[in-house]
Amino acid sequence: MAPFCIIWHSLQTLYEELFHFFLMGCVTLAAMLLVLPGPFALAGLWGVAQKAVRGQGIQWSDYWEALRRYGPRNLLNALVALLVYGMLALNLWFYNTPEVSPVSGNLALALTVISLGVTLIWTGMVFYWLSFQLEMLDPRFWLSLRNSLYLALARPLHTLILLSAAVLATALSVAIPLLLILLPSFIAVLSLTSLRELLLPLLQARQTA
């Protein structure tokens, strides 16, 4: 399925369960404002989105169950993601601050481009990470991270378009604050839909090889 079809299908899924996603989005947004409960609430929302992507009805019990089961795991995900982003930001600052950087201008530019590329790849991995953990029978930390890297590199153009859609949705939500309530739900549905649609052809190609 083309990435634009994935985006459209994600919007349809979001619309079909709009009432539930709006209410759960309110709870999730409130939890994110409190910071620490945020990863737990997002795990609950991802669990509900998984049900919606599969065409199953969603209930509050699905939200609380996913929150309980995947919340601690997603807290670890969030801490690792923030740590890596912090290190990448530090690299960018170091290479582009002549007062502290020992490298020349051309080398600094090359290292900056490499750091930005690694940041983009890492963002693609984070985009798929929790979705992989929900879909895997044995959601091990490093295995889900490796699979996220594999998918991001195997489908780079698709991943870039999907990330662009997430950025566009974020910008639209900033312009229209009411949409912030639905933003996490859209990203969750988009991530899970793209995982299922992009991974299936890869698995089929491996089976026929």
Side-chain angles (χ1 to χ4, degrees), residues 14 18 21-33 42 45 166-188:
L14 184 69
L18 187 61
F21 277 128
F22 183 83
L23 294 180
M24 295 174 184
C26 290
V27 175
T28 302
L29 186 60
M32 293 175 67
L33 292 174
L42 285 173
L45 197 62
V167 171
L168 181 60
T170 302
L172 188 61
S173 299
V174 172
I176 308 174
L178 186 62
L179 295 179
L180 285 171
I181 298 173
L182 293 172
L183 178 62
S185 301
F186 171 68
I187 294 178

Side-chain angles (χ1 to χ4, degrees), residues 194-206:
S194 59
L195 178 64
R196 296 173 67 87
E197 296 297 337
L198 296 179
L199 195 59
L200 183 59
L202 294 176
L203 293 176
Q204 290 175 341
R206 176 174 293 185

Side-chain angles (χ1 to χ4, degrees), residues 67-143:
L67 184 151
R68 181 194 64 80
R69 183 176 180 183
Y70 294 100
R73 190 182 303 276
N74 197 41
L75 177 61
L76 178 59
N77 293 352
L79 292 175
V80 172
L82 290 175
L83 177 62
V84 173
Y85 277 125
M87 294 171 59
L88 291 169
L90 183 61
N91 279 342
L92 289 171
W93 172 82
F94 178 77
Y95 297 140
N96 292 278
T97 306
E99 292 79 7
V100 298
S101 178
V103 299
S104 63
N106 290 335
L107 181 57
L109 178 60
L111 292 173
T112 297
V113 172
I114 293 173
S115 295
L116 290 174
V118 173
T119 301
L120 185 59
I121 294 172
W122 177 248
T123 303
M125 293 170 62
V126 172
F127 177 72
Y128 296 121
W129 198 358
L130 182 57
S131 297
F132 258 114
Q133 291 177 342
L134 264 71
E135 294 287 355
M136 293 169 61
L137 295 177
D138 182 16
R140 286 178 288 170
F141 179 85
W142 292 112
L143 183 58

